[in-house]
Amino acid sequence: MNWNSPFMLTVGLPLLKIVILLGVVAFCVAYTVWLERRLLGFFQSRVGPNRVGPAGLIQPIADGLKLILKEDIIPTNARPFLFRIAPIFAVVPAFAGFAIVAFAPPAGPRASFLISDANIGILYLLAITSLGVFGIVLGGWASGSKYPLFGSLRSASQMLSYEVPLTFSVLSVILMAGSFRLDDIIQAQGKLPFLVPLILAFGVYVISAVAETNRAPFDLPEAESELVGGFHTEYSGMRFAFYFLAEYANVVLVCCVATSLFLGGYKIPFLPYETLLAGNPWLVSLIGLAVFAVKAVAFLYFYIWIRATFPRYRYDQLLKIGWKVLLPISLLNLLLVAGIKLAMLR
Amino acid sequence: MTIGWILLSLMIALCALGVVLARSPISSAISLLIGFVGVAILYLALKAEFVAAVQILVYAGGILVLYLFGIMLTDNEALRLTRQTHLQAWPVFVLILVLFLAVGHKLYHSDYTPQQPDSLLMVTDQSQVQALQDRLAQEAAAARHATNPQRVARVLYGDYLYPFEAASVLLLVAVLGAVFLAKKEV
């Protein structure tokens, strides 16, 4: 096979990367669920899943098999077509977001560890993840039942509200780096991760991201005590698994994005291993990948920790925090960063 | 490439038709969603990445969700009973045809040619050709250097700053008006 032919470069190689990435992300999602259940068990002084395989490691596969074998029920009141396609609306944006994440420094001109080096990078990510809400809203509405409808209504207003502070916090990162490209943003953090100067934006980002991914303490679209299962009450089998997959793919995506935007991506502060090992690009890439993974998993731990620590908020409290606390803070932060940037330019 | 253009345009046109012709509001909304995505792909193909992202972010991710919100909050039974009628369809069709023909006629008979400062054919003098070639090379280098968002920003916040600010004031007025209408007591 000729790897340098135009066809391979424009179609074959990206396609190969996409297939690999989809597999890796699906694997990570499955084991994020496992990690979360184990950690929640640990936080709550219980054991967690430990029966299937050593330390419960085969549990995700068993769960997946169970969901595939379950009957696919479509309620009488549901609108069948919408009910069927709604989970796809949830999954596709969650996975498509990974296209612009730079996981490691490129090992060569044609061996980059990202699918698309788009110059609108982070903007694409914001745009594509904003489509995820359709899966939840349409699914809840198409179920033709009260609780899913309430769940989807809550989710729509929640995701719209928190998208604003999220975007503003990301905007301050873009302002600092001076670029939309994720790789440029990572390069700009060579000496100091943006976590330090942009601690305010990081806080806003984390809180908004928790709300955007519908997780505790902001998991009101699926608040079990009020709404049974929320928007996915009527779903079962593979369609439910799609929603599950979408939620956890979004969690993994948030971890990757937070790593890139605030934790310095594959960079190690004060240790420019890329220049030290410049003669060995594949080794550099591997180290970069490992650094990225360690940071992302550390953030994931933090993310699960939040879930285990905070009780669920009331719905009006949730919206109040979004509009009256986070939005002013993120605006103020943006103004501050812009002012400092301007002062430095002068 | 051309086939791609035709297919994409056809898809967008079909979605636009779906928005108008669908009997249930939710089908209209979904047609609109697919149409928005199609238009975004069109922008991407035109190398206007920034506009494409904003198209999705603002129209599909924001405004359309609010539409859905509105549709879902409407009483379900009322929704089932209310069907869009198409009584106005034929008069409107005639009206659109007349407008389309009028605009088409005007376009066809006008001496409008797209601005082509890039064209070397319009310059005859040899020294001018050299100067133009230099300038074009410079511009191309600058364009390669500046990314799409940067170029959009330069135009939006440089050349068109006042219209931009005026539009934002207009939007603010609209927001205030909406709040005033929605609240019983202000």
Side-chain angles (χ1 to χ4, degrees):
Chain A
M1 213 181 331
N2 181 13
W3 283 99
N4 288 328
S5 70
F7 176 77
M8 282 313 288
L9 282 180
T10 53
V11 182
L13 201 61
L15 217 58
L16 187 74
K17 279 189 199 171
I18 290 169
V19 170
I20 293 174
L21 188 74
L22 284 184
V24 171
V25 170
F27 178 83
C28 290
V29 166
Y31 279 89
T32 303
V33 179
W34 170 82
L35 187 72
E36 175 165 44
R37 293 181 64 189
R38 292 291 296 184
L39 281 177
L40 282 181
F42 167 66
F43 285 131
Q44 297 164 356
S45 302
R46 52 188 177 82
V47 183
N50 68 342
R51 291 288 131 179
V52 195
L57 267 174
I58 310 182
Q59 185 72 41
I61 297 162
D63 286 345
L65 271 177
K66 185 200 84 174
L67 283 169
I68 290 171
L69 294 174
K70 267 179 93 169
E71 187 191 349
D72 179 30
I73 300 165
I74 297 177
T76 330
N77 275 340
R79 285 160 180 76
F81 178 67
L82 266 185
F83 189 81
R84 283 203 188 91
I85 62 165
I88 300 168
F89 274 105
V91 171
V92 171
F95 277 81
F98 285 95
I100 49 101
V101 179
F103 295 98
R110 275 158 203 172
S112 61
F113 282 76
L114 82 172
I115 290 171
S116 169
D117 193 12
N119 60 33
I120 49 160
I122 196 75
L123 208 58
Y124 160 85
L125 192 87
L126 290 172
I128 210 88
T129 47
S130 75
L131 291 181
V133 66
F134 281 104
I136 293 174
V137 169
L138 289 177
W141 187 79
S143 297
S145 143
K146 284 193 183 66
Y147 292 124
L149 182 67
F150 278 122
S152 61
L153 281 178
R154 282 182 174 191
S155 136
S157 52
Q158 173 176 337
M159 287 173 98
L160 274 183
S161 307
Y162 277 82
E163 213 167 272
V164 183
L166 185 93
T167 307
F168 276 123
S169 68
V170 170
L171 217 54
S172 63
V173 173
I174 295 169
L175 213 57
M176 281 289 276
S179 171
F180 285 100
R181 277 181 66 223
L182 236 61
D183 205 48
D184 287 347
I185 293 171
I186 292 173
Q187 294 300 334
Q189 302 176 73
K191 288 199 181 68
L192 190 71
F194 283 161
L195 175 66
V196 183
L198 294 177
I199 185 78
L200 224 55
F202 180 69
V204 172
Y205 178 83
V206 171
I207 297 171
S208 308
V210 170
E212 283 281 301
T213 49
N214 292 324
R215 285 168 54 85
F218 298 139
D219 59 344
L220 286 141
E222 41 188 312
E224 291 88 352
S225 47
E226 305 156 35
L227 295 180
V228 195
F231 62 88
H232 58 57
T233 307
E234 305 289 351
Y235 279 91
S236 70
M238 266 326 272
R239 290 181 210 287
F240 170 75
F242 270 2
Y243 275 123
F244 208 65
L245 204 64
E247 182 179 333
Y248 280 87
N250 273 323
V251 170
V252 175
L253 185 61
V254 161
C255 292
C256 290
V257 173
T259 306
S260 309
L261 295 187
F262 294 102
L263 306 182
Y266 49 72
K267 293 265 181 187
I268 306 175
F270 308 115
L271 186 65
Y273 65 93
E274 290 145 297
T275 41
L276 291 178
L277 296 167
N280 208 338
W282 280 102
L283 188 65
V284 169
S285 286
L286 275 180
I287 295 175
L289 205 59
V291 171
F292 192 94
V294 166
K295 286 180 180 176
V297 170
F299 187 81
L300 182 65
Y301 181 88
F302 175 62
Y303 212 68
I304 295 168
W305 193 3
I306 292 176
R307 176 180 171 170
T309 308
F310 290 99
R312 184 180 295 135
Y313 281 81
R314 229 171 41 224
Y315 192 60
D316 57 315
Q317 293 173 326
L318 168 92
L319 289 184
K320 208 171 272 176
I321 294 170
W323 288 109
K324 293 187 176 171
V325 180
L326 291 185
L327 185 60
I329 289 179
S330 59
L331 274 174
L332 196 71
N333 182 56
L334 189 65
L335 208 66
L336 223 71
V337 173
I340 292 169
K341 189 91 179 172
L342 204 65
M344 274 160 65
L345 277 179
R346 284 286 156 81
Chain B
M1 194 60 207
T2 323
I3 296 170
W5 276 108
I6 293 170
L7 283 178
L8 195 62
S9 311
L10 213 63
M11 190 189 97
I12 295 168
L14 280 178
C15 288
L17 273 179
V19 176
V20 185
L21 294 178
R23 297 241 162 196
S24 88
I26 205 108
S27 307
S28 289
I30 290 171
S31 289
L32 196 58
L33 169 65
I34 300 169
F36 280 156
V37 174
V39 171
I41 297 172
L42 207 62
Y43 287 146
L44 271 184
L46 290 169
K47 295 205 186 307
E49 297 98 345
F50 181 78
V51 187
V54 170
Q55 162 86 9
I56 297 282
L57 191 65
V58 174
Y59 285 99
I63 290 173
L64 203 56
V65 177
L66 288 178
Y67 279 2
L68 278 181
F69 208 75
I71 293 169
M72 290 193 316
L73 279 176
T74 328
D75 185 22
N76 235 335
E77 273 313 301
L79 208 63
R80 229 170 267 190
L81 293 173
T82 339
R83 291 286 180 208
Q84 286 192 42
T85 59
H86 292 139
L87 291 175
Q88 318 95 319
W90 286 108
V92 169
F93 182 71
V94 172
L95 195 67
I96 289 172
L97 201 68
V98 169
L99 284 175
F100 186 76
L101 285 179
V103 174
H105 179 265
K106 183 78 188 158
L107 276 179
Y108 190 77
H109 287 284
S110 68
D111 51 356
Y112 169 78
T113 40
Q115 242 185 336
Q116 280 180 321
D118 302 353
S119 176
L120 287 171
L121 299 172
M122 284 153 65
V123 187
T124 44
D125 192 9
Q126 202 54 44
S127 61
Q128 275 184 322
V129 169
Q130 186 56 45
L132 195 59
Q133 271 174 343
D134 289 349
R135 212 194 73 214
L136 282 178
Q138 274 174 10
E139 275 176 10
R144 263 199 300 279
H145 188 68
T147 58
N148 183 266
Q150 281 173 337
R151 272 178 281 166
V152 172
R154 225 158 261 154
V155 174
L156 202 59
Y157 295 108
D159 305 351
Y160 295 102
L161 182 63
Y162 287 113
F164 179 79
E165 293 294 336
S168 65
V169 171
L170 202 65
L171 283 173
L172 183 68
V173 171
V175 168
L176 287 179
V179 171
F180 180 75
L181 285 177
K183 280 222 167 185
K184 287 198 177 74
E185 293 166 33
V186 182

